[in-house]
PDB file of all heavy atoms in Angstrom:
ATOM      1  N   ARG A 298     -56.861 -26.594  12.128  1.00 93.00           N
ATOM      2  CA  ARG A 298     -56.132 -27.352  13.145  1.00 93.00           C
ATOM      3  C   ARG A 298     -55.159 -26.375  13.789  1.00 93.00           C
ATOM      4  O   ARG A 298     -54.379 -25.713  13.073  1.00 93.00           O
ATOM      5  CB  ARG A 298     -55.381 -28.519  12.537  1.00 93.00           C
ATOM      6  CG  ARG A 298     -56.275 -29.616  11.995  1.00 93.00           C
ATOM      7  CD  ARG A 298     -55.446 -30.793  11.503  1.00 93.00           C
ATOM      8  NE  ARG A 298     -56.252 -32.000  11.291  1.00 93.00           N
ATOM      9  CZ  ARG A 298     -56.653 -32.415  10.099  1.00 93.00           C
ATOM     10  NH1 ARG A 298     -56.342 -31.719   9.006  1.00 93.00           N
ATOM     11  NH2 ARG A 298     -57.342 -33.532   9.979  1.00 93.00           N
ATOM     12  N   ARG A 333     -60.660 -25.238  15.530  1.00 98.00           N
ATOM     13  CA  ARG A 333     -60.709 -26.351  16.463  1.00 98.00           C
ATOM     14  C   ARG A 333     -59.740 -26.072  17.618  1.00 98.00           C
ATOM     15  O   ARG A 333     -58.587 -25.703  17.384  1.00 98.00           O
ATOM     16  CB  ARG A 333     -60.353 -27.664  15.763  1.00 98.00           C
ATOM     17  CG  ARG A 333     -60.560 -28.852  16.691  1.00 98.00           C
ATOM     18  CD  ARG A 333     -60.324 -30.167  16.044  1.00 98.00           C
ATOM     19  NE  ARG A 333     -58.917 -30.308  15.655  1.00 98.00           N
ATOM     20  CZ  ARG A 333     -58.459 -31.349  14.985  1.00 98.00           C
ATOM     21  NH1 ARG A 333     -59.293 -32.290  14.585  1.00 98.00           N
ATOM     22  NH2 ARG A 333     -57.168 -31.439  14.685  1.00 98.00           N
ATOM     23  N   ASP A 336     -55.887 -29.953  19.642  1.00 93.00           N
ATOM     24  CA  ASP A 336     -56.147 -31.393  19.712  1.00 93.00           C
ATOM     25  C   ASP A 336     -54.809 -32.116  19.814  1.00 93.00           C
ATOM     26  O   ASP A 336     -54.509 -32.997  19.002  1.00 93.00           O
ATOM     27  CB  ASP A 336     -56.935 -31.819  18.457  1.00 93.00           C
ATOM     28  CG  ASP A 336     -57.342 -33.283  18.499  1.00 93.00           C
ATOM     29  OD1 ASP A 336     -57.451 -33.833  19.586  1.00 93.00           O
ATOM     30  OD2 ASP A 336     -57.565 -33.872  17.432  1.00 93.00           O
ATOM     31  N   LYS A 341     -50.314 -36.379  17.420  1.00 63.00           N
ATOM     32  CA  LYS A 341     -49.914 -34.945  17.444  1.00 63.00           C
ATOM     33  C   LYS A 341     -49.330 -34.675  18.826  1.00 63.00           C
ATOM     34  O   LYS A 341     -49.897 -33.951  19.621  1.00 63.00           O
ATOM     35  CB  LYS A 341     -51.145 -34.079  17.165  1.00 63.00           C
ATOM     36  CG  LYS A 341     -51.690 -34.271  15.755  1.00 63.00           C
ATOM     37  CD  LYS A 341     -53.071 -33.693  15.607  1.00 63.00           C
ATOM     38  CE  LYS A 341     -54.110 -34.745  15.712  1.00 63.00           C
ATOM     39  NZ  LYS A 341     -55.470 -34.341  15.564  1.00 63.00           N
ATOM     40  N   ARG A 357     -55.720 -36.697  25.209  1.00 92.00           N
ATOM     41  CA  ARG A 357     -55.700 -35.865  23.998  1.00 92.00           C
ATOM     42  C   ARG A 357     -56.934 -34.995  23.905  1.00 92.00           C
ATOM     43  O   ARG A 357     -57.934 -35.233  24.586  1.00 92.00           O
ATOM     44  CB  ARG A 357     -55.494 -36.701  22.721  1.00 92.00           C
ATOM     45  CG  ARG A 357     -56.610 -37.645  22.403  1.00 92.00           C
ATOM     46  CD  ARG A 357     -56.442 -38.273  21.020  1.00 92.00           C
ATOM     47  NE  ARG A 357     -56.614 -37.312  19.946  1.00 92.00           N
ATOM     48  CZ  ARG A 357     -56.901 -37.644  18.697  1.00 92.00           C
ATOM     49  NH1 ARG A 357     -57.076 -38.917  18.358  1.00 92.00           N
ATOM     50  NH2 ARG A 357     -57.078 -36.719  17.764  1.00 92.00           N
ATOM     51  N   PRO A 392     -62.489 -30.778  20.167  1.00 98.00           N
ATOM     52  CA  PRO A 392     -62.049 -32.081  19.671  1.00 98.00           C
ATOM     53  C   PRO A 392     -62.111 -33.199  20.715  1.00 98.00           C
ATOM     54  O   PRO A 392     -62.017 -32.949  21.919  1.00 98.00           O
ATOM     55  CB  PRO A 392     -60.580 -31.811  19.339  1.00 98.00           C
ATOM     56  CG  PRO A 392     -60.161 -30.725  20.305  1.00 98.00           C
ATOM     57  CD  PRO A 392     -61.393 -29.933  20.665  1.00 98.00           C
ATOM     58  N   MET A 393     -62.212 -34.418  20.207  1.00 97.00           N
ATOM     59  CA  MET A 393     -62.083 -35.632  21.010  1.00 97.00           C
ATOM     60  C   MET A 393     -63.040 -35.677  22.191  1.00 97.00           C
ATOM     61  O   MET A 393     -62.702 -36.141  23.287  1.00 97.00           O
ATOM     62  CB  MET A 393     -60.598 -35.697  21.506  1.00 97.00           C
ATOM     63  CG  MET A 393     -60.172 -36.937  22.212  1.00 97.00           C
ATOM     64  SD  MET A 393     -60.291 -38.410  21.170  1.00 97.00           S
ATOM     65  CE  MET A 393     -60.004 -39.673  22.371  1.00 97.00           C
ATOM     66  N   MET A 430     -66.837 -32.104  17.732  1.00 98.00           N
ATOM     67  CA  MET A 430     -66.330 -33.095  16.773  1.00 98.00           C
ATOM     68  C   MET A 430     -67.032 -34.412  17.129  1.00 98.00           C
ATOM     69  O   MET A 430     -67.001 -34.859  18.289  1.00 98.00           O
ATOM     70  CB  MET A 430     -64.825 -33.312  16.967  1.00 98.00           C
ATOM     71  CG  MET A 430     -63.913 -32.253  16.484  1.00 98.00           C
ATOM     72  SD  MET A 430     -63.740 -32.170  14.698  1.00 98.00           S
ATOM     73  CE  MET A 430     -62.873 -33.656  14.283  1.00 98.00           C
ATOM     74  N   GLU A 432     -66.232 -37.792  16.675  1.00 98.00           N
ATOM     75  CA  GLU A 432     -65.111 -38.646  16.266  1.00 98.00           C
ATOM     76  C   GLU A 432     -64.896 -39.821  17.202  1.00 98.00           C
ATOM     77  O   GLU A 432     -64.048 -40.650  16.997  1.00 98.00           O
ATOM     78  CB  GLU A 432     -63.832 -37.845  16.062  1.00 98.00           C
ATOM     79  CG  GLU A 432     -63.421 -36.983  17.219  1.00 98.00           C
ATOM     80  CD  GLU A 432     -62.221 -36.092  16.915  1.00 98.00           C
ATOM     81  OE1 GLU A 432     -61.530 -36.325  15.912  1.00 98.00           O
ATOM     82  OE2 GLU A 432     -61.953 -35.192  17.715  1.00 98.00           O
ATOM     83  N   GLY A 453     -65.587 -36.190  12.405  1.00 98.00           N
ATOM     84  CA  GLY A 453     -64.166 -36.457  12.123  1.00 98.00           C
ATOM     85  C   GLY A 453     -64.041 -37.946  11.785  1.00 98.00           C
ATOM     86  O   GLY A 453     -63.906 -38.779  12.680  1.00 98.00           O
ATOM     87  N   ASN A 455     -61.718 -39.658  10.498  1.00 94.00           N
ATOM     88  CA  ASN A 455     -60.434 -40.348  10.708  1.00 94.00           C
ATOM     89  C   ASN A 455     -60.438 -41.049  12.066  1.00 94.00           C
ATOM     90  O   ASN A 455     -60.188 -42.251  12.201  1.00 94.00           O
ATOM     91  CB  ASN A 455     -59.275 -39.370  10.670  1.00 94.00           C
ATOM     92  CG  ASN A 455     -59.286 -38.499   9.448  1.00 94.00           C
ATOM     93  OD1 ASN A 455     -59.818 -38.909   8.430  1.00 94.00           O
ATOM     94  ND2 ASN A 455     -58.731 -37.318   9.546  1.00 94.00           N
ATOM     95  N   ASP A 456     -60.768 -40.261  13.088  1.00 96.00           N
ATOM     96  CA  ASP A 456     -60.798 -40.869  14.414  1.00 96.00           C
ATOM     97  C   ASP A 456     -62.040 -41.756  14.615  1.00 96.00           C
ATOM     98  O   ASP A 456     -61.967 -42.786  15.286  1.00 96.00           O
ATOM     99  CB  ASP A 456     -60.758 -39.788  15.505  1.00 96.00           C
ATOM    100  CG  ASP A 456     -59.331 -39.310  15.701  1.00 96.00           C
ATOM    101  OD1 ASP A 456     -58.440 -40.149  15.741  1.00 96.00           O
ATOM    102  OD2 ASP A 456     -59.102 -38.087  15.795  1.00 96.00           O
ATOM    103  N   LEU A 457     -63.166 -41.349  14.006  1.00 98.00           N
ATOM    104  CA  LEU A 457     -64.371 -42.176  14.145  1.00 98.00           C
ATOM    105  C   LEU A 457     -64.087 -43.555  13.602  1.00 98.00           C
ATOM    106  O   LEU A 457     -64.504 -44.578  14.166  1.00 98.00           O
ATOM    107  CB  LEU A 457     -65.529 -41.508  13.401  1.00 98.00           C
ATOM    108  CG  LEU A 457     -66.904 -42.130  13.658  1.00 98.00           C
ATOM    109  CD1 LEU A 457     -67.285 -42.000  15.136  1.00 98.00           C
ATOM    110  CD2 LEU A 457     -67.986 -41.510  12.803  1.00 98.00           C
ATOM    111  N   TYR A 460     -61.581 -45.458  16.097  1.00 97.00           N
ATOM    112  CA  TYR A 460     -62.182 -45.856  17.379  1.00 97.00           C
ATOM    113  C   TYR A 460     -63.316 -46.860  17.187  1.00 97.00           C
ATOM    114  O   TYR A 460     -63.561 -47.695  18.059  1.00 97.00           O
ATOM    115  CB  TYR A 460     -62.674 -44.616  18.154  1.00 97.00           C
ATOM    116  CG  TYR A 460     -61.547 -43.696  18.559  1.00 97.00           C
ATOM    117  CD1 TYR A 460     -61.641 -42.308  18.324  1.00 97.00           C
ATOM    118  CD2 TYR A 460     -60.431 -44.182  19.177  1.00 97.00           C
ATOM    119  CE1 TYR A 460     -60.612 -41.464  18.715  1.00 97.00           C
ATOM    120  CE2 TYR A 460     -59.385 -43.339  19.537  1.00 97.00           C
ATOM    121  CZ  TYR A 460     -59.486 -41.999  19.312  1.00 97.00           C
ATOM    122  OH  TYR A 460     -58.453 -41.137  19.670  1.00 97.00           O
ATOM    123  N   ARG A 466     -54.909 -45.574  13.494  1.00 85.00           N
ATOM    124  CA  ARG A 466     -54.832 -44.919  12.176  1.00 85.00           C
ATOM    125  C   ARG A 466     -53.406 -44.724  11.717  1.00 85.00           C
ATOM    126  O   ARG A 466     -53.162 -44.434  10.543  1.00 85.00           O
ATOM    127  CB  ARG A 466     -55.583 -43.569  12.228  1.00 85.00           C
ATOM    128  CG  ARG A 466     -55.000 -42.572  13.176  1.00 85.00           C
ATOM    129  CD  ARG A 466     -55.947 -41.407  13.390  1.00 85.00           C
ATOM    130  NE  ARG A 466     -55.623 -40.251  12.560  1.00 85.00           N
ATOM    131  CZ  ARG A 466     -56.209 -39.071  12.693  1.00 85.00           C
ATOM    132  NH1 ARG A 466     -57.153 -38.887  13.607  1.00 85.00           N
ATOM    133  NH2 ARG A 466     -55.869 -38.080  11.925  1.00 85.00           N
TER     134      ARG A 466
HETATM  135 MG1  LIG B 602     -59.636 -36.311  15.034  1.00 51.78          MG
END
Side-chain angles (χ1 to χ4, degrees):
R298 291 185 167 101
R333 186 176 66 183
D336 185 23
K341 294 165 261 181
R357 66 171 291 201
M393 187 62 190
M430 286 285 292
E432 52 186 347
N455 309 333
D456 280 317
L457 191 62
Y460 295 132
R466 62 193 263 189

